[in-house]
Amino acid sequence: MKLKLLVIVFLLTIVSIPAMSQVSTKTGSIFGKVVDEKNVPLPGVSISLESKTIQSQSSTSGPTGAFRFANLPPGTYAVIFSIEGFTEVRQEDVRVTIGGSVNLEITLNPTLAEEFVVVADTPVVDTKKTGNESTFNREYLDKVPSGRDPWVIIEQTPGVDNDRVNIAGSESGQQTNFFARGASFADNAWNYDGVNATDPLALGATPTYYDFDAFEEIQIQSGGMDASVGAKGVVVNLVTK
């Protein structure tokens, strides 16, 4: 009886760890600060978020000029900043990836006699990220020739070793064993739209195969993940369109 109880507790622990990681593996965020030309924080700035991916969202900068849009699905966004007495700024082509955070530092200038809209450049480096990960977007998946399955993308990830190479589809239909940073294959994890999809009987593997054309992004994490991920090996995040 005691043995059965210990087995049940162990299985529940295994299931609960991936469940805690579901939020961080599906979405990203946009955050930042709004200041004036003298670098003084601007509270009360109206901020609008536009995208073809989701419905428009709106927010207002706080007392320190800070703002944040969380839990955003991967895609391209436009962020508009406006407040009376200042020139409106429109930040175009803000690219959000799964697990990524885009930091925008916005400066608003006093409105001139002739009003105009400033289109600012988007930062391409996430200075807050501590992990080692590679994100493959839809354009990459479409245009780079490959065997068209997730294991081929894992082969192309820096820092990850594989036990075979899929050349021209010769290994398609076979799950590659892959490793990183001294962890074992059983330490790997699979997430499908934020839900853990690791095979409970064959740890480190996935119990199914996937439609490659259904993916919007594939992210491979091989180290430096935060505690919410719940895995110490390679983490594969599959995000559908």
Side-chain angles (χ1 to χ4, degrees):
M1 184 65 183
K2 290 184 179 180
L3 180 59
K4 288 184 178 180
L5 181 60
L6 288 174
V7 171
I8 292 173
V9 172
F10 175 74
L11 292 175
L12 288 176
T13 302
I14 293 177
V15 173
S16 64
I17 290 175
M20 293 186 293
S21 68
Q22 293 178 8
V23 174
S24 64
T25 56
K26 185 179 179 181
T27 61
S29 64
I30 299 173
F31 72 101
K33 185 177 181 180
V34 188
V35 298
D36 64 14
E37 79 283 4
K38 297 180 179 179
N39 205 35
V40 177
L42 281 176
V45 176
S46 297
I47 307 169
S48 300
L49 183 73
E50 298 178 353
S51 174
K52 296 179 180 179
T53 307
I54 60 174
Q55 291 184 342
S56 299
Q57 298 184 17
S58 60
S59 181
T60 304
S61 60
T64 62
F67 66 92
R68 181 178 181 86
F69 293 96
N71 300 326
L72 300 176
T76 302
Y77 295 82
V79 192
I80 302 93
F81 303 83
S82 61
I83 188 172
E84 186 176 355
F86 290 84
T87 301
E88 179 180 291
V89 168
R90 182 182 182 90
Q91 190 91 37
E92 297 277 7
D93 297 326
V94 181
R95 178 69 185 177
V96 174
T97 60
I98 47 178
S101 297
V102 181
N103 184 13
L104 302 180
E105 299 289 342
I106 303 299
T107 300
L108 300 185
N109 295 307
T111 303
L112 303 177
E114 182 180 354
E115 294 190 15
F116 59 91
V117 176
V118 177
V119 179
D121 293 329
T122 301
V124 295
V125 177
D126 184 356
T127 58
K128 300 293 184 180
K129 187 167 294 187
T130 58
N132 184 6
E133 64 185 46
S134 299
T135 300
F136 303 87
N137 58 28
R138 186 66 253 173
E139 182 179 11
Y140 183 97
L141 300 179
D142 283 339
K143 294 185 178 181
V144 175
S146 71
R148 301 185 64 76
D149 64 37
W151 294 271
V152 174
I153 301 302
I154 294 170
E155 293 172 10
Q156 301 172 30
T157 304
V160 179
D161 293 323
N162 304 272
D163 69 349
R164 74 196 76 181
V165 178
N166 188 348
I167 300 175
S170 60
E171 294 290 338
S172 295
Q174 303 293 324
Q175 293 198 36
T176 302
N177 290 338
F178 49 95
F179 322 84
R181 302 177 184 274
S184 71
F185 177 72
D187 295 325
N188 298 338
W190 291 76
N191 292 283
Y192 187 73
D193 275 343
V195 178
N196 184 273
T198 309
D199 193 326
L201 300 179
L203 295 181
T206 172
T208 186
Y209 290 82
Y210 304 95
D211 178 1
F212 193 79
D213 292 321
F215 299 138
E216 177 66 26
E217 285 188 355
I218 297 178
Q219 181 196 65
I220 315 295
Q221 297 174 280
S222 59
M225 290 85 76
D226 61 60
S228 67
V229 173
K232 56 184 178 180
V234 179
V235 178
V236 182
N237 296 315
L238 306 174
V239 179
T240 56
K241 295 179 180 178

